């Protein structure tokens, strides 16, 4: 099984569910705090691969929900600069196994990448399930 470096927002309900799926599949999960990591644009960019810029973002982040930031209108450089300044904007989790990285937790993509024991297809375990006023996924 794989050793997964897992960058999360501590206290995020869905990150907890995602880690449980990984450990249930036999993977070792090394958890790091996404919000306190000293991100550099070049390093952060590696996690997004071929994803469109709009798919790099955590749409539960207050700045996006409140319309302050519109991911569709940003260049790669602008998006990375905003994320380095405000890591709540980064789509979670960021995961690394060896030299391969991934942003977000598409269960089918993770299963194809490193394998999962079970998939919960009818349950959204990526976006924050709480309203903006009480979301622990998007607020500090």
């Amino acid at each position: 099984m794989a050793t997964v470096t897992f960058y999360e927002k501590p206290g995020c309900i869905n990150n907890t569910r995602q880690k449980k799926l990984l450990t249930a599949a036999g993977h070792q999960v090394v958890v790091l705090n996404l919000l306190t990591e000293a991100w550099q644009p070049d390093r952060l960019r590696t996690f997004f691969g071929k994803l469109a810029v709009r798919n790099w973002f955590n749409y539960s982040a207050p700045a996006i929900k409140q319309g302050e930031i519109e991911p569709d209108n940003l260049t790669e450089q602008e998006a990375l600069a905003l994320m380095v300044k405000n890591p709540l904007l980064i789509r979670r989790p960021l995961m690394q196994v060896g030299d391969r990285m991934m942003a977000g937790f598409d269960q089918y993509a993770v299963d194809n990448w490193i394998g999962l024991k079970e998939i919960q297809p009818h349950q959204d375990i990526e976006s924050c399930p709480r309203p903006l006023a009480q979301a622990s996924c998007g607020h500090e």
Side-chain angles (χ1 to χ4, degrees), residues 81-139:
L82 287 168
M83 290 175 175
V84 166
K85 188 183 291 188
N86 181 1
L88 281 176
L89 296 170
I90 301 169
R91 181 178 179 186
R92 297 187 300 269
L94 297 181
M95 295 181 288
Q96 180 174 356
V97 174
D99 61 356
R100 182 147 179 233
M101 285 88 155
M102 178 181 280
F105 201 90
D106 175 312
Q107 293 179 74
Y108 295 103
V110 174
D111 188 40
N112 287 330
W113 177 30
I114 57 174
L116 291 176
K117 186 174 182 181
E118 67 178 80
I119 293 178
Q120 301 170 359
H122 301 295
Q123 185 177 12
D124 178 1
I125 64 165
E126 188 167 8
S127 52
C128 186
R130 297 182 182 172
L132 181 59
Q134 58 177 324
S136 76
C137 289
H139 284 49

Side-chain angles (χ1 to χ4, degrees), residues 53-59 64 69 71 74 79 83 89 91:
V53 172
R54 73 172 328 278
N55 295 324
W56 299 1
F57 284 87
N58 167 19
Y59 282 83
I64 294 174
I69 295 174
L74 299 172
M83 290 175 175
L89 296 170
R91 181 178 179 186

Side-chain angles (χ1 to χ4, degrees), residues 62-74:
I64 294 174
K65 281 192 164 189
Q66 296 168 355
E68 297 168 20
I69 295 174
E70 295 182 24
D72 286 328
N73 298 332
L74 299 172

